[in-house]
Amino acid sequence: MLEGKVAAVTGASSGIGRATALALARAGARVIAGARRAGRLDALASEIAAAGGTAIARPLDVAERASCEAFVRAAADEWGRVDILVNNAGLMPLSFVKRLKVDEWERMVDVNIKGVLYMTAAALPAMAEAKSGHIVNVSSVAGRLVFPAGSVYCGTKHFVTAFSEGLRQELSARSGIRVTCIEPGVVATELTSTITDESLSSFVEGAKKMEALRSEDIAASILYAVEAPAHVNVNEVLIRPREQER
Ligand code: NDP
């Protein structure tokens, strides 16, 4: 269904990004996979190639504007364009505000917010000129509600949800670019590995007792959005594990 399309996936070295890159390639897209851990990306590209798909791996730090621009340029050099951009890279070092983990707040702003902006800015001009394209932003249930120790993370994800809606209003009707905001609940990935606030260890362990979503579940929702007919704009997908209440 995605034959001929070029898809750029950020944060493709693990979790949701990795599963999404695999799913897009399986559906026929040529995939450029980015993240900082180059070894993992190379393994992913080999896995895609071994299954008969097409992928290239490129180191990417979404917190660096020049890196985002180079990433999109690499896709253009290889295949001439980017049709689908999946802004997935993100981190979640949850902590209570009173712990003043200001460096972690800054990192979340740099990756979860600025990373989405830089990647969008890098990919947008060619999409606007072609009057087609699809931007998929991975927000979160945390982009809809706020919970203790999530003040900053939820703030960054509220940004992603708001920015997605703004992009849709500005770009979909006028420039032919579709915009989808994905809002997962708990997904079993490495995401909690950045949490350094020790008072949250029981919360993190507690969340593991529930049957969480798998990265493949989110990849399937992204595939649903990008494979929809061109006149269909899947604006939001809110998806929780059945057992998750909030
Ligand atoms: P993972 O930790 O498994 O994946 C995060 C990915 O982001 C990794 O590939 C990591 O790669 C990449 N990344 C982090 N920093 C950067 C950076 N500066 N530049 C480029 N890539 C970076 O977690 P998930 O798969 O769960 O997270 C993916 C997205 O899903 C995030 O935006 C997260 O907020 C969101 N999400 C996750 C949920 C969950 O429960 N897991 C729920 C709701 C939303 P590397 O370290 O190699 O750079």
Side-chain angles (χ1 to χ4, degrees), residues 17-82:
R18 184 177 189 284
T20 301
L22 285 164
L24 291 169
R26 219 176 291 122
R30 291 168 286 178
V31 173
I32 177 164
R36 294 164 305 168
R37 287 171 291 178
R40 289 213 192 185
L41 291 179
D42 289 340
L44 169 67
S46 302
E47 191 177 333
I48 289 173
T54 306
I56 54 172
R58 288 287 181 277
L60 168 69
D61 184 345
V62 296
E64 302 289 336
R65 186 173 169 185
S67 178
C68 296
E69 289 166 352
F71 186 65
V72 171
R73 218 165 29 242
D77 288 348
E78 194 79 17
W79 298 310
R81 61 179 193 282
V82 171

Side-chain angles (χ1 to χ4, degrees), residues 5 144 163 174 190:
K5 303 274 186 201
R144 290 204 174 205
F163 183 59
R174 287 176 231 187
E190 298 169 21

Side-chain angles (χ1 to χ4, degrees), residues 11-17 34-37 60-63 88-91 107 111 138-141 153 157 184-187 189-191:
S13 58
S14 64
I16 295 168
R36 294 164 305 168
R37 287 171 291 178
L60 168 69
D61 184 345
V62 296
N88 163 77
L91 66 163
R107 196 71 198 140
V111 175
V138 180
S139 178
S140 171
V141 163
Y153 178 71
K157 290 302 183 180
V186 177
V187 188
T189 68
E190 298 169 21
L191 193 69

Side-chain angles (χ1 to χ4, degrees), residues 139-162:
S139 178
S140 171
V141 163
R144 290 204 174 205
L145 48 82
V146 179
F147 50 85
S151 307
V152 179
Y153 178 71
C154 295
T156 66
K157 290 302 183 180
H158 274 65
F159 166 82
V160 175
T161 298

Side-chain angles (χ1 to χ4, degrees), residues 37 58 102 128 197-198 202 240:
R37 287 171 291 178
R58 288 287 181 277
V102 180
D197 186 337
E198 281 144 17
S202 58
R240 288 183 176 89

Side-chain angles (χ1 to χ4, degrees), residues 8-234:
V9 182
T10 74
S13 58
S14 64
I16 295 168
R18 184 177 189 284
T20 301
L22 285 164
L24 291 169
R26 219 176 291 122
R30 291 168 286 178
V31 173
I32 177 164
R36 294 164 305 168
R37 287 171 291 178
R40 289 213 192 185
L41 291 179
D42 289 340
L44 169 67
S46 302
E47 191 177 333
I48 289 173
T54 306
I56 54 172
R58 288 287 181 277
L60 168 69
D61 184 345
V62 296
E64 302 289 336
R65 186 173 169 185
S67 178
C68 296
E69 289 166 352
F71 186 65
V72 171
R73 218 165 29 242
D77 288 348
E78 194 79 17
W79 298 310
R81 61 179 193 282
V82 171
D83 302 293
I84 299 163
L85 167 63
V86 183
N87 279 319
N88 163 77
L91 66 163
M92 188 186 71
L94 300 175
S95 66
F96 290 100
V97 171
K98 66 181 177 192
R99 309 240 179 255
L100 299 181
K101 291 185 179 281
V102 180
D103 290 346
E104 293 183 0
W105 302 349
E106 231 159 29
R107 196 71 198 140
M108 278 189 275
V109 169
D110 285 348
V111 175
N112 299 4
I113 294 181
K114 288 190 189 170
V116 171
L117 292 174
Y118 292 154
M119 281 304 306
T120 302
L124 195 55
M127 286 186 181
E129 194 176 319
K131 281 205 166 285
S132 79
H134 199 146
I135 298 173
V136 178
N137 292 331
V138 180
S139 178
S140 171
V141 163
R144 290 204 174 205
L145 48 82
V146 179
F147 50 85
S151 307
V152 179
Y153 178 71
C154 295
T156 66
K157 290 302 183 180
H158 274 65
F159 166 82
V160 175
T161 298
F163 183 59
S164 303
E165 174 60 8
L167 280 180
R168 183 193 69 76
Q169 291 180 18
E170 290 189 31
L171 299 174
S172 293
R174 287 176 231 187
S175 302
I177 299 168
R178 299 191 287 172
V179 181
T180 301
C181 182
I182 306 284
E183 300 163 319
V186 177
V187 188
T189 68
E190 298 169 21
L191 193 69
T192 50
S193 67
T194 53
I195 298 176
T196 62
D197 186 337
E198 281 144 17
S199 66
L200 292 172
S201 52
S202 58
F203 159 80
V204 172
E205 287 312 306
K208 285 184 184 157
K209 294 202 176 97
M210 155 172 59
E211 185 177 354
L213 296 171
R214 296 169 195 141
S215 295
E216 292 73 21
D217 299 323
I218 307 306
S221 70
I222 292 173
L223 210 60
Y224 161 69
V226 299
E227 284 191 326
H231 67 285
V232 177
N233 205 4
V234 178

